[in-house]
Amino acid sequence: MIDKDIYGEVLHVVEKWTQLGERHCANGTKLICPTPHVAPKAYLHLLYAPLCSESICELENEFELPLPESFRSLLGHSNGLDLFSGFLSIWGVRISWARVGDDGWQPYDLIYHNRDLGAPQPECAPPVVYFGSSANGENWCFFEQLGQTYRVGETPRHEFAPIRYWPNFETWFREKVAEIEVLFDEEGRQIAPIGMTSIN
């Protein structure tokens, strides 16, 4: 059964850090928990403005695979997101390529990462759609169609060599968050190296 409120889980993840400060940008991006120990204007979590249904449909038409309903639902609440200082990222549609000001707070672009960056593809398997990254960008996460359903996988950025699979988007999200959030303290400081609690 597909979860209808995956965005509710996202909000539950970030809420323990909201008391440390939030900033709402003019473009709808929400910045949560300043982390000046990382960079002067850095934040622990970034949630982007909702993506309209027309843009979600246009995005899906760009790929050979249908996007999972739970992923489409998330985009309708947050056009991608970055959690834990970028250790976990879900991509969206970049509306502006500005690099400064509020418009500079944009998600990594799904189409650009799947097309223009030369994303690695399996040689003898169904095509995949990359939708995010983990391990601070070292690994890319993808949807792979399996008949009428799909699974989620993770592979090193520069080579298609799957490290691990999950049965669906919700399970992937919950397990990745559980692995990463224990590495950060209540002030958003990383207190243990990434991969310490990883189950590969």
Side-chain angles (χ1 to χ4, degrees):
M1 182 70 177
I2 292 174
D3 274 7
K4 294 183 178 180
D5 194 23
I6 187 69
Y7 185 63
E9 296 195 30
V10 172
L11 296 180
H12 180 71
V13 169
V14 305
E15 67 180 356
K16 76 185 236 185
W17 286 280
T18 57
Q19 74 274 9
L20 295 178
E22 295 182 43
R23 184 165 86 81
H24 296 259
C25 299
N27 65 358
T29 298
K30 182 186 296 184
L31 313 175
I32 300 168
C33 184
T35 52
H37 52 276
V38 174
K41 296 183 179 180
Y43 286 81
L44 187 65
H45 304 303
L46 310 178
L47 306 181
Y48 301 102
L51 193 62
C52 68
S53 58
E54 291 82 3
S55 294
I56 294 173
C57 290
E58 290 174 4
L59 176 65
E60 191 169 41
N61 289 337
E62 291 285 337
F63 301 115
E64 298 177 30
L65 304 180
L67 297 174
E69 182 58 35
S70 53
F71 181 67
R72 290 169 53 95
S73 175
L74 177 62
L75 293 179
H77 291 285
S78 183
N79 178 22
L81 50 86
D82 290 287
L83 303 179
F84 304 105
S85 296
F87 276 93
L88 186 64
S89 179
I90 295 175
W91 307 336
V93 176
R94 192 174 181 99
I95 307 300
S96 168
W97 292 95
R99 296 296 181 183
V100 297
D102 280 5
D103 284 341
W105 295 103
Q106 296 280 335
Y108 290 106
D109 191 72
L110 272 160
I111 296 174
Y112 176 72
H113 278 65
N114 277 276
R115 303 285 191 237
D116 297 337
L117 282 187
Q121 292 288 334
E123 295 181 4
C124 301
V128 301
V129 172
Y130 291 97
F131 68 86
S133 64
S134 66
N136 212 21
E138 291 299 314
N139 297 334
W140 278 17
C141 305
F142 59 87
F143 297 124
E144 179 180 281
Q145 190 169 15
L146 298 173
Q148 297 302 309
T149 184
Y150 74 97
R151 63 180 176 177
V152 170
E154 183 173 323
T155 182
R157 158 71 182 92
H158 297 291
E159 176 188 12
F160 190 81
I163 302 167
R164 188 176 167 199
Y165 285 100
W166 293 262
N168 52 53
F169 180 63
E170 298 88 353
T171 301
W172 168 83
F173 179 78
R174 292 172 189 138
E175 291 190 11
K176 296 306 291 186
V177 166
E179 292 172 5
I180 297 172
E181 68 178 344
V182 296
L183 307 180
F184 290 81
D185 67 14
E186 294 180 353
E187 296 182 351
R189 293 179 181 273
Q190 187 181 348
I191 56 176
I194 196 71
M196 184 174 176
T197 60
S198 171
I199 309 170
N200 289 334

